[in-house]
Amino acid sequence: MFSVLSQINKRLEYMTPVEQRIANFMLENPNKVINMPVKEIARHSSTSDAAIVRFAKRIGLQGIKELKVELAKELHTLEQEKISRVIELEEDTHADIFDKVFKNTIQALYNTEKIVNRKRMQEAAEHITKADNTFIFGVGDSANVGHDMEQKLHRVNINAFFTADKYLCMTRLTNAKPDDVLFVITLSGKTQEVIEIVKLAKKLGVMTIILTQNHSSIAKRNSDIAIEITEEETNIQYMNMTSRIAQLIICDVLFFYVCKELGSSAYQTIINTYDMTH
């Protein structure tokens, strides 16, 4: 289930005044919105029909019709389940924890499926396929995802080099070839290391792809291709469990896009690699 209310809340502070009026009306009257004509929503939020349609696309949906459908699903689920997504280790039973972890993860994947820009993913795969070298950078939990992506690309003979060390990455960028690519994997896009790396890549003219959950970060604005995943709010967000899984899924899809670009040779390479290791 796509969480309309969650996506609105996450983007609220970065919205234009017009978008904020629409957002506030929807947050305060979700049950009314699902049955309102577009003109009524526009009138109550002092905006326009076109602004309502643009708003729906702003949060990752095709239009107001899809927004209403997803919002109705969300309100129905909340009413039916009446279960908090917050994990309370002292109060929750093992069954509660199991349900919440799975539901939070499924929610994150469903939201990411809705908001991710597939055209940008295809463009990213094309650049990685054509690159002489792909430099992958990630820190913290994203480092594990970056290392996994490096290993995947090696299986199809892509020159991929992962590092979580800022200075090593900077050295590689300084010596980069014209067709090299930088692939940054980050949650917030706000860490100083990530910002410095992306800015250096831009200064040097290195094609930069970023996978992030923060649509307004400095790092994203300075990247050539930005792939956005959802940001889920729970009391255990510092563990980044749902975000890490969303990152892994997107990297899996990106890897298969690369394989598609490479053609039948990629399939044969994977088979040969499997035979050699088993």
Side-chain angles (χ1 to χ4, degrees), residues 103-157:
K103 285 177 180 177
N104 287 345
T105 302
I106 292 169
Q107 180 75 67
L109 293 179
Y110 193 94
N111 286 351
T112 294
E113 180 190 21
K114 283 287 185 182
I115 70 171
V116 71
N117 189 311
R118 302 180 189 192
K119 183 178 179 180
R120 289 177 189 164
M121 289 185 65
Q122 185 178 339
E123 291 172 355
E126 290 171 356
H127 284 289
I128 290 173
T129 305
K130 296 174 183 176
D132 289 330
N133 301 290
T134 296
F135 304 124
I136 304 172
F137 180 74
V139 294
D141 288 324
S142 297
N144 297 323
V145 179
H147 185 263
D148 181 74
M149 187 62 175
E150 176 195 44
Q151 297 302 309
K152 283 185 172 68
L153 293 175
H154 284 173
R155 293 172 64 186
V156 290
N157 295 326

Side-chain angles (χ1 to χ4, degrees), residues 1-274:
M1 179 191 70
F2 182 82
S3 177
V4 175
L5 301 178
S6 176
Q7 294 305 312
I8 292 176
N9 272 312
K10 291 183 183 69
R11 289 166 166 74
L12 189 58
E13 64 178 302
Y14 307 110
M15 290 179 177
T16 65
V18 170
E19 290 173 336
Q20 287 182 346
R21 290 203 298 274
I22 300 170
N24 287 326
F25 177 73
M26 289 190 176
L27 290 173
E28 293 168 7
N29 306 277
N31 287 290
K32 293 181 180 178
V33 168
I34 59 178
N35 295 310
M36 271 187 174
V38 175
K39 290 187 180 297
E40 280 296 295
I41 299 175
R43 185 175 68 82
H44 282 281
S45 58
S46 301
T47 57
S48 65
D49 295 11
I52 302 299
V53 175
R54 287 195 298 270
F55 179 85
K57 294 181 178 180
R58 177 86 157 83
I59 63 170
L61 300 171
Q62 294 299 313
I64 187 62
K65 183 177 180 180
E66 187 178 15
L67 184 150
K68 288 183 178 181
V69 170
E70 294 297 338
L71 182 56
K73 289 180 184 176
E74 180 177 3
L75 295 176
H76 176 72
T77 301
L78 292 174
E79 177 63 26
Q80 290 291 107
E81 294 184 353
K82 293 182 179 178
I83 181 173
S84 170
R85 295 174 62 194
V86 174
I87 295 175
E88 302 290 352
L89 295 179
E90 294 183 356
E91 299 177 10
D92 287 347
T93 65
H94 290 82
D96 291 335
I97 293 172
F98 185 96
D99 288 343
K100 289 180 180 181
V101 170
F102 266 78
K103 285 177 180 177
N104 287 345
T105 302
I106 292 169
Q107 180 75 67
L109 293 179
Y110 193 94
N111 286 351
T112 294
E113 180 190 21
K114 283 287 185 182
I115 70 171
V116 71
N117 189 311
R118 302 180 189 192
K119 183 178 179 180
R120 289 177 189 164
M121 289 185 65
Q122 185 178 339
E123 291 172 355
E126 290 171 356
H127 284 289
I128 290 173
T129 305
K130 296 174 183 176
D132 289 330
N133 301 290
T134 296
F135 304 124
I136 304 172
F137 180 74
V139 294
D141 288 324
S142 297
N144 297 323
V145 179
H147 185 263
D148 181 74
M149 187 62 175
E150 176 195 44
Q151 297 302 309
K152 283 185 172 68
L153 293 175
H154 284 173
R155 293 172 64 186
V156 290
N157 295 326
I158 294 288
N159 291 325
F161 305 92
F162 166 74
T163 183
D165 183 275
K166 178 182 75 173
Y167 298 104
L168 177 55
C169 189
M170 286 181 164
T171 300
R172 287 172 174 169
L173 290 176
T174 303
N175 296 292
K177 299 176 183 178
D179 291 329
D180 287 347
V181 166
L182 170 66
F183 182 29
V184 177
I185 303 174
T186 176
L187 292 176
S188 70
K190 294 181 179 179
T191 58
Q192 193 59 36
E193 300 103 312
V194 168
I195 292 172
E196 289 179 29
I197 290 294
V198 171
K199 283 187 173 181
L200 176 61
K202 185 173 184 178
K203 180 180 178 181
L204 297 172
V206 178
M207 162 64 67
T208 303
I209 302 163
I210 188 168
L211 173 59
T212 181
Q213 66 180 15
N214 191 316
H215 66 282
S216 62
S217 68
I218 295 173
K220 179 184 173 183
R221 293 198 298 270
N222 282 276
S223 299
D224 297 293
I225 299 175
I227 302 170
E228 183 184 347
I229 63 172
T230 188
E231 178 182 359
E232 298 304 310
E233 296 177 354
T234 70
N235 64 318
I236 54 168
Q237 190 172 357
Y238 64 90
M239 294 183 182
N240 298 320
M241 292 187 295
T242 57
S243 298
R244 185 181 68 247
I245 293 172
Q247 285 180 328
L248 285 167
I249 293 295
I250 291 300
C251 284
D252 279 349
V253 175
L254 190 58
F255 170 68
F256 282 110
Y257 279 12
V258 168
C259 291
K260 184 172 178 61
E261 289 295 319
L262 293 173
S264 58
S265 61
Y267 179 70
Q268 190 58 50
T269 302
I270 292 174
I271 292 176
N272 293 339
T273 303
Y274 181 85

